[in-house]
Amino acid sequence: TKRHCLRFTTVLATTLLSATAACLDVGFYDRTCPTAETIVQQTVAAAFRNNSGVAPALIRMHFHDCFVRGCDGSVLIDTVGNLTAEKDAPPNNPSLRFFDVVDRAKASLEAQCPGVVSCADVLAFAARDSVVLSGGLGYQVPAGRRDGRISNDTEALNNLPPPFFNATELADRFASKNLTIEDLVVLSGAHTIGVSHCSGFAGPTDLNGPVDRLYNFSSPDGIDPTLSKAYAFLLKSICPANTSQFFPNTTVFMDLITPERFDNKYYVGLTNNLGLFKSDVALLTNATMKALVDSFVRSEATFRTKFARSMIKMGQIEVLTGTQGEIRRNCRVINPVSATDDVVLARPSGFTGVAAS
């Protein structure tokens, strides 16, 4: 096996720094569940044959998992009662989908190797398989993640970068997860496949700030001037004013050129004023970011290679390993305290989310 360790530094006090290393291994399940990655791959491939939208959905789900409490499968936990989980936070609901694919993979794994493979690893494997199925480069996934027992909608709002962030805000948010500007630009390339709801770029304001680039932008015609006029006309035809209110499920492709192919056309579109989100266009407003965008326009091979590298790095954000967390038996529900107990959820002092008691 090949060991991957990332070192995370956390500020404990104004002058005290502490560093901890989290280690994952390629081939982690070789002895305990040798068919683990094959089972996940076959499950994702079957779902992909039925609906190619599975791929961008699972890549995004992995990203949204890792940015909140690290890659611990917490995005998979269902809301219980009035304790709202991550998956029901505005950045995730209704845009995250195909949780059932993870459920099917996990059920097959539990039948083959009960209590061995974490939901967090299932999601990491599924994201890699989704990249490959869409035409991207395959890569080895270091595994050994453990599942978290807390899922909190407020933490999703506070940690996930919204589509209206500028370059500085994006860089800061990624830096807080130990990711570089290059990682930011590379991982934004996931927008080469998949769709967005109209609410990501049009209509009124969302809970976190302004997103509208079509109707109420501060310009004479209300359209963001960094958006191609022809593209804006097309988007308006798909997302009329107040679409989010009356037709909340309307979606558009994020990559107008090759919307279902994992390639470098996202960057080509970006340099031709076809970036869908403010956060996409932001990559052209910073010299370092723009140089990276231009390099990926010139070389798809460079982008594919660096995307694989950044996905491996992202997949190690604040992971739980060893005896931390648990191996969830059902990805939607934390394990009961004992085999005979029902799942018990409680709200610790000062906490507003889903947690084990």
Side-chain angles (χ1 to χ4, degrees), residues 186 189 262-264 267 296 299-307:
V186 169
F262 199 94
D263 54 23
N264 68 338
Y267 301 103
F296 300 148
S299 174
E300 183 174 295
T302 300
F303 162 62
R304 286 156 56 92
T305 300
K306 292 196 172 184
F307 187 84

Side-chain angles (χ1 to χ4, degrees), residues 81-103:
N82 65 344
L83 302 174
T84 309
E86 285 174 37
K87 64 166 55 171
D88 290 319
N92 292 331
N93 187 3
S95 60
L96 285 191
R97 56 196 187 125
F98 293 114
F99 289 98
D100 59 302
V101 178
V102 178
D103 292 337

Side-chain angles (χ1 to χ4, degrees), residues 77-86 88 151-153 344-348 351-356:
I77 296 175
D78 282 346
T79 290
V80 177
N82 65 344
L83 302 174
T84 309
E86 285 174 37
D88 290 319
S151 189
N152 177 354
D153 63 330
V344 179
L345 298 177
R347 190 191 303 266
F351 178 74
T352 56
V354 179

Side-chain angles (χ1 to χ4, degrees), residues 211-267:
V211 297
D212 195 351
R213 303 184 68 203
L214 297 181
Y215 297 102
N216 297 300
F217 200 84
S218 55
S219 63
D221 59 2
I223 299 173
D224 186 338
T226 61
L227 193 63
S228 156
K229 287 292 188 285
Y231 189 32
F233 181 79
L234 172 64
L235 293 174
K236 281 190 168 190
S237 71
I238 300 170
C239 301
N242 296 321
T243 302
S244 300
Q245 179 181 350
F246 297 108
F247 304 102
N249 295 321
T250 302
T251 59
V252 302
F253 288 118
M254 291 188 287
D255 175 356
L256 189 64
I257 304 171
T258 53
E260 296 183 331
R261 180 72 184 170
F262 199 94
D263 54 23
N264 68 338
K265 297 303 185 290
Y266 160 79
Y267 301 103

Side-chain angles (χ1 to χ4, degrees), residues 17-200:
L17 294 178
S18 173
T20 58
C23 297
L24 303 175
D25 295 312
V26 171
F28 181 82
Y29 297 108
D30 284 354
R31 292 184 179 179
T32 56
C33 191
T35 57
E37 295 192 47
T38 300
I39 288 172
V40 174
Q41 195 280 333
Q42 290 175 345
T43 305
V44 174
F48 180 82
R49 285 193 294 271
N50 186 55
N51 187 335
S52 62
V54 164
L58 293 177
I59 295 169
R60 185 166 182 262
M61 194 183 296
H62 181 43
F63 173 85
H64 281 221
D65 181 37
C66 291
F67 262 62
V68 185
R69 289 191 164 268
C71 313
D72 67 344
S74 56
V75 75
L76 304 171
I77 296 175
D78 282 346
T79 290
V80 177
N82 65 344
L83 302 174
T84 309
E86 285 174 37
K87 64 166 55 171
D88 290 319
N92 292 331
N93 187 3
S95 60
L96 285 191
R97 56 196 187 125
F98 293 114
F99 289 98
D100 59 302
V101 178
V102 178
D103 292 337
R104 286 198 294 277
K106 178 61 172 174
S108 297
L109 288 165
E110 285 299 297
Q112 188 77 25
C113 321
V116 173
V117 183
S118 69
C119 297
D121 277 344
V122 171
L123 191 48
F125 293 146
R128 182 268 313 278
D129 298 334
S130 296
V131 172
V132 175
L133 287 164
S134 303
L137 192 66
Y139 53 92
Q140 291 184 307
V141 177
R145 298 167 188 80
R146 304 267 295 179
D147 296 323
R149 293 169 59 84
I150 294 172
S151 189
N152 177 354
D153 63 330
T154 304
E155 291 184 341
L157 275 171
N158 292 340
N159 284 277
L160 292 168
F164 54 81
F165 260 12
N166 63 33
T168 301
E169 292 168 325
L170 287 169
D172 288 347
R173 185 60 55 88
F174 273 67
S176 73
K177 306 300 176 183
N178 247 39
L179 297 174
T180 65
I181 284 179
E182 178 173 285
D183 294 321
L184 159 61
V185 178
V186 169
L187 292 171
S188 295
H191 290 174
T192 190
I193 54 175
V195 299
S196 167
H197 289 81
C198 298
S199 56

